[in-house]
Amino acid sequence: MTATGEDHVTARGGPWWWARRRSAVLDVSLAVVSALECALEGIPFARDAGIPVAAGVVFGLLAGSVLLVRRRWPIAVVLVSIAITPAEMGFLMGVVGLYTLAAAELPRRIIGSLAGMSLVGTLIVTFVKTQQDMSRGDLEIGDWFVPFAAITMSLGFTAPPVLLGLYVGARRRLMESLRERADSLERELQLLAERAEERAEWARNEERTRIAREMHDVVAHRVSLMVVHAAALQAVARKDPEKAVKNAALVGDMGRQALTELREMLGVLRSGGDGPSREPSASTSPAVPASASVPLAAVGVAAAAAASRVADDEGPCLAEIEELVGQSAAAGMVVALSVEGDVRSYAPLVEQTAYRVVQEALTNVHKHAAGAKTYVRLAHRVSEIAMQVENEPPEEAASSARLPSGGNGLVGMRERVSALGGVFVSGPTDAGGFRVSAVIPAS
């Protein structure tokens, strides 16, 4: 990006009212030339006026040096040039003053008024001077020459500097406007870049949370069942070998299913939803990770694609809830499933969310209320689907597998349901048990 505004600011550094040093040098040079011109023109003026020549020279030096302040007070310069027009001096000062006046940020009526005064003054002085020359016999031309010379000289002395000043002033204002627009655009681009960075960071955090929730729901339930079956296997290994063999087989099946689901999810995450991952080339610098060259926005896109594939292509559905309840029953839980309403299909994300809520609720029963009787209710309504998992208080003598808990289960369920515009409620019951309820819109 360019730093147009900064370059423009650092270019300033002239003395007094000048923006640049070269501007000061130019004005000083013009003032010196104008002072010398007026001083030389002051000699014939002093002779014609009958005053000392030194007074005419000093007057010319003072009048011509006014050009030094043309940038700060252009009106004063033009007024002085108009005032000394009858003395036939200040030609350079008049031309430069009109140019500076027209290029300055002044109302057009002021520029037009002063330019008109200068035009009239020059016209009168030229007319009188030409008439005097013709009356003395210095010029032997027809009478038409006097007004022609007066008009030509006044227009030539006034119009070109005014027109050039108007053009330069308009161009300068245009450049200032373009510079301001460039600075504004640069600031907007920087702001957009910062916002894009914030959105990318937010997207990464959101997808990281979503993927963590998905992995928790996929793996935690099956691992919890494995721990429950392992505890039961330890308890009946010597007393009931046949049941121990059955529990061992269930533990193996659960382990294989957990590994399969975990491997599928990790494969999707590694490919980023775009295919298998590729090894970094040999030319890649060992000091720079291969992921460092990936744009920030691509991280969120890849994570979103991965989570979407897991959610849409490989996610569970409501038809598998009966199997889910059966797995918990096989682990020793007394659980009853009831379904109300006409069974129908829903959007994949709705069915997956409903399945995960029931799955996580059953996992919590295994963790915190082992041996408690549990009721799973599923209701198909007109525009929504409702589910409820409620367990009775656990028996005091019931053994617990002492499963660890990270405290993220209820949070993850609430986030899933809220993301679909549903309602999630959880809490203890009056009887001492625990209830998890959720209602999800059907569309």
Side-chain angles (χ1 to χ4, degrees):
M1 296 183 184
T2 62
T4 309
E6 296 178 1
D7 293 343
H8 179 64
V9 172
T10 55
R12 298 180 179 272
W16 294 346
W17 57 81
W18 286 284
R20 302 186 237 341
R21 295 184 181 274
R22 63 181 182 181
S23 300
V25 173
L26 176 61
D27 288 355
V28 170
S29 302
L30 290 174
V32 171
V33 175
S34 177
L36 293 176
E37 177 203 352
C38 292
L40 293 176
E41 293 171 345
I43 297 174
F45 167 71
R47 292 173 180 172
D48 294 340
I51 61 175
V53 176
V57 173
V58 172
F59 175 75
L61 288 174
L62 293 177
S65 61
V66 175
L67 196 58
L68 185 67
V69 297
R70 70 181 185 94
R71 296 179 189 268
R72 189 169 182 85
W73 296 296
I75 296 178
V77 174
V78 175
L79 289 175
V80 171
S81 68
I82 295 174
I84 64 175
T85 299
E88 298 183 10
M89 63 173 60
F91 174 79
L92 177 62
M93 183 171 60
V95 173
V96 177
L98 287 174
Y99 164 79
T100 307
L101 178 71
E105 296 286 343
L106 293 174
R108 292 296 177 88
R109 63 179 181 275
I110 296 178
I111 298 175
S113 299
L114 293 177
M117 292 171 59
S118 178
L119 175 66
V120 172
T122 306
L123 179 65
I124 295 174
V125 171
T126 306
F127 184 88
V128 173
K129 179 64 175 176
T130 307
Q131 187 70 31
Q132 291 175 352
D133 292 341
M134 290 188 66
S135 63
R136 288 197 303 262
D138 296 340
L139 295 174
E140 295 182 358
I141 306 177
D143 294 338
W144 60 269
F145 181 75
V146 176
F148 174 78
I151 294 173
T152 303
M153 288 294 294
S154 59
L155 289 176
F157 180 78
T158 306
V162 171
L163 295 177
L164 180 61
L166 291 175
Y167 167 75
V168 172
R171 185 175 181 274
R172 182 183 302 153
R173 286 188 290 272
L174 176 61
M175 295 302 295
E176 289 292 337
S177 176
L178 293 177
R179 184 180 294 109
E180 291 177 359
R181 291 177 61 182
D183 294 340
S184 176
L185 179 60
E186 180 181 1
R187 288 191 295 269
E188 290 179 2
L189 290 177
Q190 291 177 352
L191 182 60
L192 290 176
E194 293 174 359
R195 290 182 178 177
E197 179 72 19
E198 293 175 358
R199 286 195 295 268
E201 183 65 26
W202 178 84
R204 285 198 299 268
N205 293 335
E206 284 292 316
E207 295 307 324
R208 188 182 297 114
T209 302
R210 181 179 176 182
I211 293 169
R213 183 171 61 243
E214 188 70 26
M215 295 184 68
H216 172 272
D217 293 342
V218 168
V219 179
H221 178 72
R222 299 197 185 280
V223 174
S224 299
L225 293 180
M226 290 172 59
V227 174
V228 172
H229 282 297
L233 177 62
Q234 183 180 5
V236 301
R238 295 183 179 179
K239 299 180 182 180
D240 192 347
E242 183 177 352
K243 188 175 182 179
V245 171
K246 183 178 179 181
N247 286 340
L250 289 174
V251 171
D253 291 340
M254 293 293 177
R256 282 188 292 271
Q257 292 176 4
L259 288 175
T260 300
E261 292 179 354
L262 182 60
R263 187 182 298 111
E264 290 174 352
M265 178 171 292
L266 292 179
V268 173
L269 295 178
R270 183 176 293 111
S271 65
D274 296 327
S277 61
R278 294 177 293 181
E279 295 295 331
S281 60
S283 60
T284 304
S285 173
V288 180
S291 61
S293 60
V294 180
L296 295 175
V299 178
V301 173
S308 298
R309 279 191 55 185
V310 172
D312 298 337
D313 299 340
E314 302 170 2
C317 59
L318 288 176
E320 301 177 15
I321 286 186
E322 186 174 355
E323 179 183 355
L324 178 67
V325 173
Q327 292 175 355
S328 295
M333 177 187 293
V334 181
V335 56
L337 172 65
S338 63
V339 180
E340 301 176 2
D342 298 332
V343 179
R344 64 183 188 275
S345 59
Y346 300 90
L349 191 57
V350 173
E351 294 201 8
Q352 183 197 15
T353 301
Y355 181 93
R356 295 302 187 198
V357 169
V358 176
Q359 182 186 56
E360 182 61 27
L362 292 176
T363 302
N364 288 341
V365 175
H366 284 292
K367 291 180 179 179
H368 308 293
K373 188 173 182 179
T374 305
Y375 303 93
V376 178
R377 302 180 181 90
L378 191 65
H380 298 271
R381 299 172 183 170
V382 177
S383 59
E384 60 188 16
I385 178 173
M387 64 228 65
Q388 184 182 89
V389 178
E390 180 181 352
N391 63 273
E392 297 178 352
E395 300 179 1
E396 297 182 359
S399 86
S400 174
R402 296 182 181 179
L403 295 171
S405 176
N408 297 319
L410 295 177
V411 175
M413 285 189 283
R414 180 175 289 104
E415 290 177 350
R416 283 181 178 274
V417 175
S418 299
L420 298 180
V423 178
F424 178 84
V425 178
S426 63
T429 62
D430 296 336
F434 199 84
R435 181 187 298 118
V436 172
S437 303
V439 179
I440 305 175
S443 57

